[in-house]
Amino acid sequence: HAPLAAEALLRGSAVLVEKPVATTRAQLHRLLAAMRTSRAPLFSGYQRRYLPFNELARRDLGVVPGDPISYHAVAFEVPLQPLHWYRWPSSRSRLLSNGCHWLDHFLFLNDFAAVSDHHLKVAPDGTIDCSVTLENGAFCTLVLTDRGSRRLGVRDHVELRAAGVTVTMEDMSRYRAEDDRRVLRKARIPGLEAHRAMYDKIGRGIAHGEAGDSVLSVHRSAVLVLELDDE
């Protein structure tokens, strides 16, 4: 999407670019250059940034901006048909084409702190296991697989940890926070609520001339995924 997004920005159009934002470093550099030049906003289509659970988690974890939030996710993807676009060479790996969602969510919750280290392994069955450490001390593990039951389609289980509190998010619809003594909060929303909230907020933002994503956030999110994909 990056070449189209860059061209639109240079023509003065507001842009909503779906994931992955860029699939090569050359695309990313062109997009970032357009963002720096254009006065038009760019919004990345990462719906997990718009989960209502994010604000609940920050409150229940007791964190303030800059505090590390560790993030652990297991994501199941439905096996793909042979000609699915995720399988096209230009889409590179499954990690870049879809795993970017969880990596971006981790960075978003940590205010896009700089990455200090990352590692990746691929199992014989194709399961991807990666880890990321941020300079603020936050740590992420992500297991991405298409092995298992496809009864309910794409599934994910995310755990956030900070200050003696664990927050669990399942399938973008169920939330639970607990400390050493009790359950702090439970919540449930429709499975597509984050998508609705994303398009609503971005649409309103464009209509009212609001600022889009920062160059820093686009750069750090995309570079992390590209570097892990290289591994």
Side-chain angles (χ1 to χ4, degrees):
H1 311 299
L4 293 173
E7 181 66 22
L9 287 173
L10 294 175
R11 290 171 181 251
S13 295
V15 173
L16 164 59
V17 56
E18 292 290 355
K19 58 82 184 172
V21 171
T23 59
T24 68
R25 283 175 174 76
Q27 287 183 1
L28 178 60
H29 292 159
R30 180 180 174 187
L31 180 62
L32 295 175
M35 290 181 68
R36 294 186 182 102
T37 301
S38 176
R39 294 183 178 180
L42 177 139
F43 300 88
S44 302
Y46 288 113
Q47 68 265 17
R48 281 172 173 77
R49 297 183 185 183
Y50 298 86
L51 266 174
F53 297 157
N54 293 336
E55 290 308 312
L56 297 182
R58 288 188 173 98
R59 292 204 294 268
D60 292 336
L61 292 169
V63 296
V64 297
D67 286 348
I69 300 176
S70 288
Y71 186 105
H72 307 286
V74 178
F76 169 78
E77 297 180 296
V78 176
L80 302 175
Q81 297 299 319
L83 298 181
H84 193 284
W85 72 269
Y86 281 5
R87 293 184 180 273
W88 297 356
S90 59
S91 295
R92 299 180 63 166
S93 77
R94 189 170 71 241
L95 180 69
L96 187 144
S97 60
N98 204 37
C100 57
H101 270 305
W102 291 272
L103 295 168
D104 178 84
H105 193 205
F106 167 58
L107 290 175
F108 170 80
L109 291 171
N110 283 281
D111 302 306
F112 296 96
V115 174
S116 60
D117 194 22
H118 56 71
H119 301 278
L120 181 140
K121 295 289 185 182
V122 181
D125 67 359
T127 296
I128 296 172
D129 184 356
C130 63
S131 61
V132 181
T133 305
L134 302 183
E135 289 186 358
N136 70 350
F139 184 67
C140 168
T141 59
L142 169 63
V143 175
L144 192 64
T145 185
D146 62 2
R147 303 290 177 169
S149 169
R150 65 183 77 181
R151 183 176 64 90
L152 296 178
V154 176
R155 309 288 302 276
D156 77 312
H157 176 95
V158 175
E159 291 186 2
L160 312 179
R161 300 176 183 274
V165 175
T166 299
V167 166
T168 303
M169 303 181 192
E170 291 187 335
D171 300 334
M172 297 178 67
S173 62
R174 295 183 298 280
Y175 176 96
R176 177 187 176 101
E178 56 191 303
D179 62 13
D180 293 339
R181 297 176 298 140
R182 63 188 178 90
V183 174
L184 301 173
R185 190 197 310 264
K186 289 183 179 181
R188 188 163 188 147
I189 59 174
L192 295 178
E193 175 61 21
H195 294 75
R196 186 206 63 78
M198 178 180 74
Y199 292 119
D200 179 72
K201 185 171 182 179
I202 291 175
R204 291 176 185 274
I206 292 173
H208 292 96
E210 297 176 3
D213 296 351
S214 69
V215 172
L216 177 69
S217 68
V218 173
H219 177 264
R220 287 187 172 169
S221 179
V223 166
L224 172 60
V225 177
L226 288 169
E227 289 184 349
L228 284 167
D229 189 80
D230 287 342
E231 292 191 41

